Amino acid sequence: KTAVKGIKSTGEKQYQRIIILGTCHKAPIENIVSIPNDIDYYETPLGKIPLDIEALNIISKSTYFKTIPIANIGEHSVEIELPLLQYAKKDFKIVPIVCGKLDLETTKKIADVLRKIIDENTLIVVSTDFTHYGPNYAYIPFTDNIPDNLKKYDMGAYEFIEKKDVKGFYEYLDTTGITICGPYGIGILLCLLPENAK
């Protein structure tokens, strides 16, 4: 529901390029992001989505953009967005990016590189979900009032996002140990937003 609401918020506008910032679940990559370089499209039951090869060639010149096949192949944080985008946005090319753990300086540099391929016909989608609680995630910071405490933790993170405070957001991740999935895509987006963005 949240993903659909996010996509609906973009209205009827169609985009030529969609950048998808996912998170790496399969490899411990740090201070780089991974992009594909050996395929021409992704495919879902709704059809093929071409990669924006021109844009990928531009950003691949940066040392922060590498191709790590294990990071990209089958990465659900990117793939889960595709059918929704196909349904809502029809004809576009994608720039799928899988983010590793990023420090603040690297986050800003990656955002600077992405600015080279962003124009009025580009949509940026961050694939994220918030706190992963329980033994499967080795994250049990509380055992009472779990829904209320989860909301408190998540909204604490959201306050930094709303203020576009990347530094504060990253510090909140470190101090709470909160298991937000996809936080570095959020960080990149916050670095890209203009001052008056909401």
Side-chain angles (χ1 to χ4, degrees), residues 49-120:
I49 309 170
L51 269 65
D52 190 329
I53 303 299
E54 182 180 350
L56 286 164
N57 285 339
I58 292 169
I59 62 178
S60 69
K61 291 180 172 62
S62 165
T63 57
Y64 297 105
F65 290 75
K66 304 281 187 191
T67 297
I68 303 165
I70 192 172
N72 291 87
I73 295 171
E75 177 48 64
H76 67 271
S77 66
V78 170
E79 292 180 356
I80 199 167
E81 305 296 344
L82 299 178
L84 300 173
L85 292 167
Q86 283 175 295
Y87 183 81
K89 297 301 175 189
K90 311 301 182 209
D91 186 26
F92 56 88
K93 294 180 179 179
I94 58 170
V95 179
I97 299 173
V98 177
C99 302
K101 181 178 167 88
L102 306 175
D103 63 30
L104 181 60
E105 195 58 35
T106 303
T107 301
K108 291 177 180 177
K109 288 177 179 175
I110 289 170
D112 288 341
V113 173
L114 287 177
R115 281 190 184 90
K116 297 174 183 176
I117 62 167
I118 294 172
D119 59 23
E120 66 278 359

Side-chain angles (χ1 to χ4, degrees), residues 20-25 29 32-36 42 71-73 75 77-78 96-100:
I20 303 172
L21 296 169
T23 192
C24 189
H25 286 91
I29 60 176
I32 56 171
V33 296
S34 183
I35 54 175
Y42 278 29
N72 291 87
I73 295 171
E75 177 48 64
S77 66
V78 170
I97 299 173
V98 177
C99 302

Side-chain angles (χ1 to χ4, degrees), residues 101-102 139 157 160 166-184 186:
K101 181 178 167 88
L102 306 175
Y139 190 69
F160 291 104
V166 187
K167 184 174 184 288
F169 177 57
Y170 282 4
E171 288 172 351
Y172 184 81
L173 295 176
D174 290 338
T175 57
T176 63
I178 193 170
T179 52
I180 292 176
C181 191
Y184 303 103
I186 294 172

Side-chain angles (χ1 to χ4, degrees), residues 132 134-140 179:
H132 289 42
N136 288 352
Y137 306 103
Y139 190 69
I140 310 174
T179 52

